[in-house]
Amino acid sequence: NVRSSEGGGELLCARELLSIFCAWLQFEHVAASLARSWVRRDRWCAPLYATGPEFSFSDKPWAQGGHRPLPPHLLDAPAFLCRAHTLWRGECCALASEEERVQRLFAVTPGRLASLNVEAVLKTGTYEFRRHHATTCGDAARNWCLFCVAFVEAARPGDGACLGRGAEALLDAQSPEQALTRLREAQLLATREGLVALLARVLGEGEARALVEAMAAESCV
């Protein structure tokens, strides 16, 4: 829950929501390594690339090649972020309420079948993390829940957690192109150690490392 008043907890502002999305893009490939290999390019949790969409829902996971174009905006993280940058620098500045900003920023998203479904923000007030594989293991389910909650809490401040300064790296960039250059570099250089450091902001280093190692081990079973 990030925006539902009925779900309990604190409602996140638009800047915090964008900071979490930026952080997820940064660690997309690292998070994928914590899930079973067969789900990393699954059509129900398609990867988000900072360089643009490279996925076709009509192809099998082992036959992906990007040769069939997707409908506009689907899985297109750069387009979503460019639109967010333009809106934030323009009409969002004049909007009176936080709810209106969220409504405008998330009116067009990369789609609900991405590894992080931000379309759910306007439907249920939630971010839906779809990356993990299905499991009947109680410990694995618990670890994934803990991971998602810790990731949101660690990434939301935007004060140095990711991409230099979280959402500010996107919103305060001089141009969308500059913001995307930062994002692409961050995704390319993201490591498991960096993810541990992010989660450690909430869990502490010992618990964060143990959590990531447990998830990595379960993904190889």
Side-chain angles (χ1 to χ4, degrees), residues 66-135:
H67 59 279
R68 301 185 185 182
L70 286 167
H73 80 75
L74 276 185
L75 304 182
D76 196 339
F80 173 73
L81 293 175
C82 283
R83 182 176 180 275
H85 183 277
T86 301
L87 287 172
W88 194 267
R89 288 295 187 100
E91 62 185 81
C92 280
C93 294
L95 295 177
S97 72
E98 196 64 40
E99 185 61 31
E100 288 179 302
R101 295 190 188 97
V102 172
Q103 289 284 338
R104 290 294 294 123
L105 289 170
F106 291 90
V108 180
T109 74
R112 69 181 185 86
L113 297 182
S115 60
L116 174 58
N117 171 21
V118 297
E119 187 176 297
V121 169
L122 300 187
K123 293 182 177 180
T124 58
T126 60
Y127 263 4
E128 182 188 10
F129 292 86
R130 302 176 64 91
R131 168 54 59 209
H132 201 269
H133 52 273
T135 181

Side-chain angles (χ1 to χ4, degrees), residues 3 14 28 34 55-56 70 117 126 141 192 204:
R3 287 294 303 174
E28 165 72 62
L34 304 180
F55 192 90
S56 171
L70 286 167
N117 171 21
T126 60
R192 192 171 289 179

Side-chain angles (χ1 to χ4, degrees), residues 3-219:
R3 287 294 303 174
S4 173
S5 58
E6 298 178 358
E10 184 180 353
L11 302 187
L12 274 60
C13 68
R15 185 177 286 266
E16 289 174 313
L17 294 174
L18 288 173
S19 189
I20 295 166
F21 183 82
C22 289
W24 181 258
L25 248 65
Q26 179 180 358
F27 291 106
E28 165 72 62
H29 303 313
V30 181
S33 74
L34 304 180
R36 300 284 175 88
S37 59
W38 56 263
V39 81
R40 294 174 190 174
R41 291 181 69 84
D42 188 84
R43 62 184 300 173
W44 307 113
C45 52
L48 290 166
Y49 297 111
T51 50
E54 301 178 15
F55 192 90
S56 171
F57 290 106
S58 59
D59 287 341
K60 300 293 185 183
W62 57 85
Q64 290 292 333
H67 59 279
R68 301 185 185 182
L70 286 167
H73 80 75
L74 276 185
L75 304 182
D76 196 339
F80 173 73
L81 293 175
C82 283
R83 182 176 180 275
H85 183 277
T86 301
L87 287 172
W88 194 267
R89 288 295 187 100
E91 62 185 81
C92 280
C93 294
L95 295 177
S97 72
E98 196 64 40
E99 185 61 31
E100 288 179 302
R101 295 190 188 97
V102 172
Q103 289 284 338
R104 290 294 294 123
L105 289 170
F106 291 90
V108 180
T109 74
R112 69 181 185 86
L113 297 182
S115 60
L116 174 58
N117 171 21
V118 297
E119 187 176 297
V121 169
L122 300 187
K123 293 182 177 180
T124 58
T126 60
Y127 263 4
E128 182 188 10
F129 292 86
R130 302 176 64 91
R131 168 54 59 209
H132 201 269
H133 52 273
T135 181
T136 58
C137 174
D139 288 340
R142 171 198 169 276
N143 287 342
W144 179 241
C145 292
L146 178 59
F147 173 85
C148 292
V149 172
F151 190 93
V152 167
E153 290 301 314
R156 59 180 282 202
D159 59 357
C162 334
L163 296 178
R165 292 173 297 125
E168 286 78 0
L170 165 70
L171 302 177
D172 296 343
Q174 293 301 309
S175 67
E177 292 73 22
Q178 183 185 55
L180 289 177
T181 296
R182 295 175 180 175
L183 180 60
R184 289 163 184 156
E185 181 179 1
Q187 190 177 70
L188 179 65
L189 300 177
T191 63
R192 192 171 289 179
E193 283 298 314
L195 180 59
V196 169
L198 174 64
L199 297 175
R201 295 163 58 92
V202 174
L203 301 176
E205 183 176 355
E207 186 175 358
R209 188 173 301 280
L211 173 63
V212 171
E213 289 178 353
M215 293 176 66
E218 203 275 333
S219 72

